[in-house]
C-alpha cells in the first residue's frame, strides 16, 4: 500500500507504460552521444579564443630560483606567460582546497610534487602554446623528495610544507573513531583474534575526458563565464567568487557534457583558475585542456590507505570487535574532496554489514611529495577502503576458524528487524536485508557445486586451483543531511525545479550534474511517474549555474538520494496545484479530486469518467486558471535529506589460479545489488557493469607508482593499466529490493556500489584458492608475479 501523496512504492509500480519508475527507458542522452553531437569542454570554440599550456615541474621537490619567460614570449603567437608573481597581483597565487588547505595555483616558491604547475603560456593556438611552454626556462634547486608516507613521518625526512607556519614535520592529521578502551577489552577477552596488514594502493579515476576549462570574460556585461569539467558547478561558482572577489552573480559556471568524472572532477584545479584568470586579464576567451599524463600525474588520486585490520571473535565465529589503524598518504596538500567534518571520509562505516558491539579506528595522514587527492574514484567518501577492510578481515577470520565464509557472514549480519540500526561508530543504517542478498547470490553462483569442485582440484593436485570470494558490503550514500555534511561550509542539500508548459510538456532543472549516469533520463522518469506524464515530454537540464537551482553536485552517489528526492517532492507540489486546476476544469470541489497513479489522471472521486490529464491541466493553468490560484504550473524543492541511504549487495567471484603462471581467470562473477526502489533497471545494470570493471581494474591492474626520485612511474596508460573487454568476464547481475524508508520514492543510490563492493570479493577469491595452504592475503593489484610469489610461498607453485 502507498500513501496517495508519497511514501515508498512497491516494485510492481512499473512505469504504467509512460516511462515512469521501473521502466527500462533508453537513455535520452545517447542519441546525441552516439551520433557525435555531444558538447564537451574541448568542443567549445569562441571567436578570438586563446589557448593555455601549463609548464610543469620535472622534479618532485625543488625550490624555484628563477623563471625566464623571455624566450617563450619571443615565440610568434605567444600572448602571455604567467607565473605566481603575475597571479599575486590579483590575489590568485594560492587557492583553498576543499579541506581548507592552501594550494599554489602556480608554484610560489617550492615545487612539492612532480608535474606541479609552475607557469602558464597563453597563445593563439594550442601548438604554439606548447612550443612556448618548452621555451620557459626554470632554474630549480633540486631537493630530496619523499614519496612514501611512512618515510615522510621519520625524523630526518625532508620537510615538505615549509609554507605552513611553525611546521616541523610532514604530519598532516590524526583522526579516531569508536571506543578504544572497550575495544581493547573485547580483544583481551576474545577466544580468537586475527590481524592483517593491507594496502589499498593509490589509484586514479581516469575518466575518458581529461579536465579542462574555457574562461570567457565578457567586459561588456562584466561577467565571467567558465565552461568547465565540473561535477559540482554551483559550489565551484561559490568558491570562485570567494577566491577571486568577483561577485557570485557575475560568475557563471557551465558544466557541459562531461566525459566521465568518477570523482576526478570534484576538486578545483590550478588549470581552471589560470584559464579563468587569464581570460579576465586578457579580456579574451582562454581554453585549457589537460593531456592524459597531466591528468593522471597531477589531478586527484584515490585511496592510498595503508591499513591494519583486526577482528576479535568467539570460537564459534561471533564477531565481538573490530579495530583498525591506518597510515594515509594525502600528497603535498590536504585536498581530499569530502564533507568538511569527515577528515577520513565515511571510513568509520568499517563495521560493515555486521552487528559488532565495539569498534575502534585510528588514522594518521602524512604529506608526501606526490600530487594531492585522496577521495575520488567511485569511493563513496572512502567507503571503498572501509568495505575492503571489513570484507577482507571476515575472510581472514573464517579461515582462522575453519568456517565457511558465507556461514560466518550469516552469523554476524545485522538482521532485518534491527533497522533502523545504529552502528557502534554512530552510523544510522536506514534499512537492509543482507541475508536475502547473500542467499540470492549463493544460489546464482551455484556455490555448493563450486565448493565441491574446489576440493576436488585440491585432492587431485590440479594445475589450476579454484577460489571462491564473497563480499557482502554495505554502502552509505546520499550526503547530507546539511547539519552534518557540508562542502566548504555549504550544506549538502539538493534541488529540483519543474516547469510545466502550456502545451503540456515540462522542463526539469536539477542541482546535480551527470557525467554519464543517465540523469537526463532517470530524473525525467521520476517526474513522469509522479505527474502521470510521458517521459518523452520531459527535458532535464543541469550544469548551468545561471539557470539551474543551487545544488551540491554529483558525487558520493548522492544524485538519486538527494536531488532525486527533490524531483519527487517538487512533482508532488505541482500535483497539489494541479488538483486545484482539475477541480476548476471539472467543476468539482478540490477535496473531491483524486489522482490515479495508474492512469496518471485526475478525476472526481466516485466518477472515474469525469477526469482530466496533466496536459489538459497544463492548458488550464495558463488559459483558464482558477481565481484561487496564481497562473502557471511550476514548483521548486530544496531537499535536505533526513538521513543517508544504505544500499548493499552480495558479490561472489569464482576464479581459477594457474599454479604455473600466477594468472587469475574469472570463472563466474555474480553481483546482487539492492538500491531500494529502482528507477531504471537498465541504467542500474550499466552502472553495475562499469563499476565492476573498475573493481577488476583495482584488484588486478591499477596502481600509481613512484620511484625514489619522486618520478611518477605509473603516470600514463602504458604503465597505469586499465581493464579492457579482454579482462572483463561476463557478469551475472541480480537484485533484491529493500526500499529506503525515508526517501520519497524509496530509492537508494547505486553508482558506486560495484566499485566499493567488488575488490574484496576478487581478493577473497584469489586468497581462497590458496588458503588451504595457509595464505591469508594477497596485495592489490594482483598481477601474475604477485600471485605467483604467494603460490611459491605456499608451496603451490609448479
Ligand atoms: N538509479 C536508478 N535507481 C536507483 C538508483 C539509481 O535508476 N534506485 C540511477 C540514477 O537515476 C542515475 C544512476 O542510476 O541515473 C546513478 O545514480 P546514483 O546512484 O544516484 O549516483 P549519481 O547519479 O550521483 O552518480 C554518482 C556516481 C559516482 S559518485 C561516481 S564516482 C560515478 C558513478 O556515479 N561516476 C560515473 N557512475 C558513473 N557512471 C558514468 N558513466 N560516469 C561516471 O563518471
Ligand atoms: Cu568518490 S568518487 Mo564519486 O563520489 O564522484
Amino acid at each position: 500500500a502507498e500513501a496517495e501523496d508519497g511514501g515508498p512504492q512497491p516494485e510492481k509500480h512499473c512505469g504504467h507504460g509512460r516511462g515512469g519508475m521501473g521502466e527500462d527507458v533508453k537513455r535520452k542522452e545517447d542519441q546525441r552521444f552516439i551520433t557525435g553531437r555531444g558538447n564537451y569542454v574541448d568542443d567549445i570554440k569562441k571567436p578570438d579564443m586563446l589557448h593555455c599550456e601549463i609548464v610543469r615541474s620535472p622534479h618532485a621537490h625543488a625550490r624555484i630560483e628563477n623563471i625566464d619567460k623571455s624566450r617563450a614570449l619571443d615565440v610568434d603567437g605567444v600572448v602571455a606567460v604567467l607565473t605566481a608573481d603575475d597571479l599575486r597581483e590579483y590575489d590568485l597565487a594560492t587557492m583553498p582546497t576543499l579541506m581548507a588547505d592552501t594550494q599554489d595555483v602556480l608554484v610560489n616558491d617550492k615545487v612539492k610534487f612532480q608535474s606541479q604547475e609552475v607557469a602558464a603560456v597563453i597563445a593563439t593556438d594550442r601548438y604554439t602554446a606548447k612550443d612556448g611552454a618548452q621555451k620557459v626556462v626554470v632554474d630549480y634547486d633540486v631537493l630530496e623528495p619523499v614519496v612514501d608516507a611512512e618515510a615522510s613521518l621519520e625524523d630526518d625526512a625532508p620537510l615538505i610544507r615549509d609554507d605552513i607556519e611553525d611546521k616541523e614535520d610532514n604530519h598532516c592529521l590524526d583522526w579516531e573513531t569508536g571506543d578504544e578502551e572497550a575495544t581493547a577489552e573485547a580483544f583481551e577477552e576474545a577466544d580468537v583474534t586475527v590481524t592483517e596488514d593491507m594496502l589499498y594502493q593509490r589509484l586514479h579515476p581516469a575518466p575518458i575526458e581529461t579536465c579542462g576549462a574555457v574562461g570567457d570574460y565578457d567586459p561588456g556585461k562584466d561577467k565571467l563565464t567558465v565552461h568547465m569539467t565540473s561535477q559540482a558547478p554551483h559550489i565551484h561558482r561559490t568558491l570562485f567568487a570567494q577566491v577571486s572577489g568577483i561577485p557570485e552573480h557575475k560568475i557563471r559556471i557551465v558544466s557541459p557534457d562531461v566525459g566521465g568524472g568518477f570523482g576526478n572532477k570534484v576538486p578545483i584545479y590550478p588549470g581552471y583558475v589560470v584559464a579563468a584568470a587569464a581570460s579576465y586579464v586578457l579580456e579574451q576567451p582562454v581554453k585549457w585542456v589537460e593531456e592524459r599524463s597531466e591528468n593522471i600525474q597531477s589531478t586527484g588520486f584515490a585511496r592510498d590507505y595503508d591499513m591494519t585490520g583486526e577482528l576479535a571473535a568467539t570460537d564459534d565465529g561471533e564477531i565481538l570487535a573490530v579495530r583498525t589503524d591506518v597510515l594515509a598518504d594525502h600528497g603535498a596538500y590536504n585536498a581530499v574532496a569530502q564533507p568538511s567534518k569527515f577528515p577520513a571520509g565515511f571510513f568509520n562505516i568499517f563495521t560493515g554489514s555486521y552487528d559488532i558491539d565495539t569498534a575502534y579506528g585510528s588514522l594518521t595522514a602524512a604529506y608526501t611529495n606526490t600530487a594531492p587527492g585522496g577521495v575520488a574514484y567511485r569511493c563513496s567518501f572512502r567507503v571503498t577502503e572501509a568495505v575492503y577492510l571489513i570484507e577482507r578481515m571476515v575472510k581472514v577470520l573464517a579461515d582462522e576458524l575453519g568456517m565457511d565464509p558465507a556461514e560466518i557472514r550469516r552469523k554476524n549480519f545485522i538482521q532485518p528487524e534491527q533497522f533502523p540500526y545504529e552502528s557502534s561508530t554512530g552510523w544510522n543504517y536506514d534499512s537492509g536485508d543482507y541475508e536475502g542478498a547473500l542467499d540470492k547470490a549463493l544460489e546464482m553462483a551455484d556455490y555448493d557445486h563450486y565448493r565441491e569442485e574446489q576440493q576436488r582440484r585440491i585432492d587431485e593436485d590440479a594445475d589450476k586451483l579454484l577460489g571462491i570470494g564473497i563480499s557482502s558490503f554495505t554502502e552509505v550514500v546520499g550526503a547530507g543531511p546539511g547539519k552534518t555534511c557540508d562542502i566548504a561550509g555549504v550544506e549538502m542539500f539538493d534541488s529540483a525545479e519543474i516547469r510545466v508548459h502550456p502545451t503540456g510538456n515540462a522542463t526539469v532543472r536539477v542541482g546535480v550534474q551527470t557525467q554519464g549516469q543517465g540523469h537526463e533520463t532517470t530524473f525525467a522518469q521520476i517526474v513522469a511517474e509522479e505527474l502521470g506524464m510521458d517521459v518523452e515530454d520531459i527535458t532535464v537540464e543541469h550544469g548551468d549555474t545561471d539557470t539551474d537551482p543551487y545544488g551540491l553536485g554529483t558525487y558520493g552517489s548522492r544524485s538519486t538520494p538527494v536531488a532525486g528526492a527533490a524531483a519527487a517532492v517538487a512533482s508532488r507540489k505541482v500535483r497539489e496545484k494541479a488538483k486545484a486546476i482539475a477541480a476548476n476544469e471539472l467543476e468539482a470541489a478540490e477535496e473531491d479530486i483524486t489522482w490515479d497513479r495508474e492512469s496518471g489522471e485526475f478525476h472526481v472521486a466516485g466518477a472515474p469518467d469525469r477526469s482530466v490529464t496533466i496536459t489538459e491541466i497544463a492548458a488550464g493553468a495558463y488559459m483558464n486558471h482558477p481565481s484561487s490560484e496564481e497562473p502557471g504550473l511550476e514548483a521548486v524543492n530544496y531537499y535536505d535529506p533526513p538521513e543517508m541511504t544504505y544500499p548493499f549487495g552480495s558479490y561472489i567471484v569464482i576464479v581459477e589460479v594457474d599454479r604455473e603462471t600466477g594468472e587469475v581467470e574469472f570463472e563466474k562473477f555474480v553481483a546482487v545489488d539492492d538500491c531500494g526502489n529502482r528507477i531504471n533497471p537498465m541504467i542500474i545494470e550499466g552502472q553495475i557493469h562499469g563499476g565492476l570493471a573498475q573493481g577488476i581494474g583495482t584488484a588486478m591492474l591499477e596502481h600509481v607508482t613512484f620511484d625514489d626520485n619522486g618520478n611518477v612511474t605509473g603516470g600514463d596508460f602504458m604503465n597505469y593499466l586499465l581493464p579492457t573487454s579482454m579482462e572483463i568476464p561476463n557478469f551475472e547481475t541480480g537484485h533484491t529490493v529493500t526500499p529506503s524508508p525515508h526517501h520519497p520514492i524509496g530509492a537508494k543510490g547505486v553508482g558506486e556500489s560495484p566499485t566499493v563492493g567488488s575488490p574484496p570479493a576478487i581478493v577473497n577469491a584469489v586468497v581462497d584458492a590458496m588458503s588451504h595452504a595457509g595464505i591469508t592475503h594477497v596485495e592489490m593489484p594482483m598481477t601474475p608475479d604477485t600471485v605467483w610469489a604467494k603460490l611459491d610461498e605456499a608451496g603451490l607453485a609448479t
Side-chain angles (χ1 to χ4, degrees):
E2 165 206 351
E4 199 217 331
D5 232 23
Q9 309 130 27
E11 202 198 0
K12 72 173 167 50
H13 272 284
C14 230
H16 326 290
R18 292 186 297 273
M21 284 287 287
E23 277 194 54
D24 284 339
V25 177
K26 282 195 183 155
R27 301 203 328 168
K28 286 164 167 268
E29 44 270 78
D30 285 351
Q31 182 62 29
R32 74 173 182 280
F33 291 150
I34 61 181
T35 55
R37 291 181 173 87
N39 182 39
Y40 300 89
V41 165
D42 203 25
D43 292 320
I44 293 167
K45 294 182 179 68
K46 304 263 174 190
D48 296 330
M49 186 171 77
L50 300 170
H51 295 258
C52 170
E53 183 72 21
I54 290 181
V55 178
R56 294 174 182 275
S57 171
H59 307 292
H61 202 189
R63 214 166 285 284
I64 292 185
E65 303 201 310
N66 187 48
I67 302 178
D68 180 3
K69 307 175 178 180
S70 59
R71 287 179 57 209
L73 286 168
D74 282 346
V75 174
D76 203 22
V78 168
V79 176
V81 178
L82 301 176
T83 64
D85 288 343
D86 303 302
L87 294 179
R88 206 165 295 119
E89 270 178 52
Y90 300 90
D91 237 358
L92 286 176
T94 61
M95 60 181 202
T97 68
L98 291 179
M99 289 311 272
D101 195 356
T102 304
Q103 178 173 350
D104 289 356
V105 173
L106 295 173
V107 174
N108 276 282
D109 169 40
K110 196 177 80 167
V111 171
K112 299 181 185 68
F113 60 93
Q114 190 190 47
S115 84
Q116 191 174 0
E117 300 81 358
V118 171
V121 176
I122 319 290
T124 46
D125 67 85
R126 189 161 188 186
Y127 301 98
T128 308
K130 201 150 183 101
D131 288 346
Q134 284 176 353
K135 292 205 156 52
V136 175
V137 182
V138 186
D139 296 336
Y140 295 99
D141 174 17
V142 179
L143 305 169
E144 186 197 341
V146 54
V147 291
D148 174 77
E150 203 176 322
S152 87
L153 291 179
E154 278 165 17
D155 287 342
D156 57 349
L159 178 65
I160 298 167
R161 296 301 302 275
D162 51 3
D163 56 313
I164 302 175
E165 220 182 315
D166 297 332
K167 189 91 188 123
E168 283 172 358
D169 58 26
N170 295 321
H171 176 263
C172 174
L173 62 90
D174 289 314
W175 169 88
E176 63 174 351
T177 183
D179 188 333
E180 184 173 13
E181 222 172 288
T183 306
E185 249 168 61
F187 270 86
E188 262 162 44
E189 287 161 17
D191 300 335
V192 189
T193 63
V194 285
T195 176
E196 196 67 61
D197 292 329
M198 53 190 96
L199 174 70
Y200 210 134
Q201 78 274 26
R202 181 176 287 226
L203 302 175
H204 198 273
I208 293 177
E209 180 200 32
T210 60
C211 299
V214 177
D216 185 10
Y217 175 64
D218 177 346
K221 287 186 179 159
D222 186 26
K223 185 152 184 173
L224 175 66
T225 300
V226 189
H227 303 264
M228 61 188 250
T229 50
S230 171
Q231 291 181 227
H234 295 277
I235 190 73
H236 284 165
R237 184 187 65 182
T238 301
L239 290 170
F240 260 91
Q242 286 170 348
V243 173
S244 67
I246 300 172
E248 199 164 352
H249 66 294
K250 296 283 188 188
I251 302 175
R252 175 184 179 202
I253 305 282
V254 183
S255 184
D257 286 331
V258 175
F262 304 114
N264 193 226
K265 291 161 182 170
V266 179
I268 291 192
Y269 297 120
Y272 299 152
V273 178
V274 170
S279 158
Y280 195 77
V281 174
L282 299 169
E283 299 193 351
Q284 257 171 281
V286 176
K287 179 189 278 188
W288 164 74
V289 175
E290 274 170 355
E291 287 181 5
R292 175 61 54 193
S293 52
E294 295 184 284
N295 178 257
I296 302 183
Q297 293 179 17
S298 71
T299 62
F301 70 87
R303 326 288 194 257
D304 222 333
Y305 258 31
D306 199 347
M307 309 185 276
T308 303
E310 292 176 274
L311 288 183
T314 62
D315 275 332
D316 58 356
E318 186 193 334
I319 303 172
L320 304 170
V322 51
R323 186 160 57 194
T324 180
D325 185 44
V326 181
L327 177 60
D329 186 338
H330 276 217
Y333 299 96
N334 189 17
V336 292
Q338 65 201 344
S340 65
K341 294 186 187 82
F342 295 88
F346 297 166
F347 181 69
N348 37 357
I349 188 156
F350 62 78
T351 53
S353 310
Y354 311 104
D355 188 10
I356 305 177
D357 282 346
T358 13
Y360 177 69
S362 55
L363 171 142
T364 300
Y367 294 114
T368 60
N369 287 116
T370 64
V375 178
Y377 198 11
R378 274 183 139 156
C379 64
S380 304
F381 301 122
R382 295 216 193 264
V383 182
T384 30
E385 287 90 324
V387 162
Y388 187 66
L389 180 93
I390 186 71
E391 290 304 308
R392 276 298 297 117
M393 289 315 297
V394 168
K395 165 68 176 157
V396 172
L397 178 64
D399 286 345
E400 173 74 18
L401 293 169
M403 276 180 83
D404 184 288
E407 209 41 54
I408 199 166
R409 285 182 166 81
R410 214 187 289 286
K411 193 170 182 97
N412 289 283
F413 278 146
I414 301 161
Q415 294 302 310
E417 63 277 7
Q418 285 176 277
F419 295 95
Y421 171 87
E422 189 181 337
S423 78
S424 51
T425 48
W427 291 81
N428 293 300
Y429 293 37
D430 65 348
S431 61
D433 177 4
Y434 304 142
E435 203 162 341
L438 177 61
D439 285 344
K440 182 155 191 174
L442 290 170
E443 199 191 312
M444 285 173 65
D446 206 355
Y447 187 73
D448 295 337
H449 160 75
Y450 280 104
R451 279 283 172 225
E452 280 167 28
E453 170 66 12
Q454 178 181 42
Q455 191 56 48
R456 188 188 66 77
R457 294 199 191 190
I458 293 170
D459 295 343
E460 292 176 6
D461 203 24
D463 291 340
K464 291 186 179 179
L465 295 163
L466 206 67
I468 307 167
I470 304 177
S471 162
S472 290
F473 65 95
T474 290
E475 263 263 62
V476 50
V477 299
K483 287 286 167 278
T484 43
C485 296
D486 67 275
I487 293 283
V490 183
E491 293 180 15
M492 290 178 77
F493 57 84
D494 229 286
S495 60
E497 180 206 83
I498 300 170
R499 294 186 184 179
V500 183
H501 309 305
T503 50
N505 38 43
T507 303
V508 178
R509 294 186 167 126
V510 289
V512 292
Q513 159 69 40
T514 194
Q515 309 115 39
Q517 296 90 341
H519 290 180
E520 289 168 45
T521 308
T522 47
F523 278 90
Q525 287 183 261
I526 295 173
V527 176
E529 170 73 32
E530 294 294 328
L531 284 179
M533 291 178 71
D534 193 298
V535 72
E536 291 304 321
D537 293 335
I538 300 164
T539 295
V540 175
E541 293 182 356
H542 49 218
D544 186 338
T545 58
D546 262 11
T547 51
D548 304 326
Y550 200 104
L552 274 283
T554 290
Y555 42 81
S557 305
R558 63 186 299 281
S559 302
T560 304
V562 194
V569 174
S571 302
R572 289 168 193 176
K573 284 187 181 177
V574 169
R575 212 161 75 200
E576 269 316 297
K577 181 166 181 183
K579 272 188 190 165
I581 298 163
N584 192 43
E585 296 290 314
L586 295 166
E587 295 176 351
E590 195 182 326
E591 51 281 12
D592 289 340
I593 301 294
T594 57
W595 180 69
D596 177 43
R597 189 176 286 276
E598 204 52 46
S599 68
E601 291 178 356
F602 296 77
H603 57 85
V604 181
D609 51 321
R610 286 179 63 199
S611 65
V612 280
T613 63
I614 189 78
T615 306
E616 290 163 315
I617 288 171
Y622 293 89
M623 298 167 192
N624 179 33
H625 82 277
S627 55
S628 60
E629 300 287 328
E630 292 172 16
L633 190 56
E634 54 186 72
V636 56
N637 178 252
Y638 285 81
Y639 190 84
D640 183 16
E643 186 48 76
M644 281 188 262
T645 66
Y646 291 71
F648 58 92
S650 266
Y651 295 168
I652 299 183
V653 176
I654 301 175
V655 296
E656 274 190 335
V657 177
D658 189 321
R659 291 167 63 189
E660 193 177 349
T661 62
E663 262 174 309
V664 174
E665 274 207 33
F666 294 100
E667 171 79 18
K668 217 172 176 51
F669 205 122
V670 170
V672 173
D673 272 277
D674 190 321
C675 57
N677 287 338
R678 303 177 340 137
I679 302 161
N680 185 322
M682 186 169 65
I683 284 182
I684 292 173
E685 188 163 17
Q687 287 289 305
I688 303 291
H689 278 215
L692 293 178
Q694 290 178 316
I696 289 173
T698 300
M700 310 305 293
L701 299 165
E702 301 180 36
H703 195 182
V704 181
T705 48
F706 299 89
D707 69 13
D708 290 344
N709 294 323
N711 297 310
V712 193
T713 45
D716 54 53
F717 280 166
M718 291 292 282
N719 296 292
Y720 189 84
L721 302 179
L722 295 184
T724 68
S725 60
M726 299 302 288
E727 287 81 27
I728 306 300
N730 206 14
F731 299 124
E732 292 168 52
T733 57
H735 68 279
T736 57
V737 175
T738 310
S740 167
H742 61 75
H743 188 279
I745 55 171
K748 303 177 179 186
V750 77
E752 289 156 304
S753 293
T755 313
V756 168
S758 61
I762 301 167
V763 177
N764 284 349
V766 174
V767 169
D768 190 65
M770 300 183 264
S771 54
H772 64 286
I775 295 301
T776 56
H777 184 60
V778 182
E779 290 281 31
M780 301 187 290
M782 298 185 294
T783 54
D785 52 322
T786 311
V787 175
W788 193 86
K790 283 285 171 185
L791 287 163
D792 193 39
E793 183 186 322
L796 293 169
T798 60

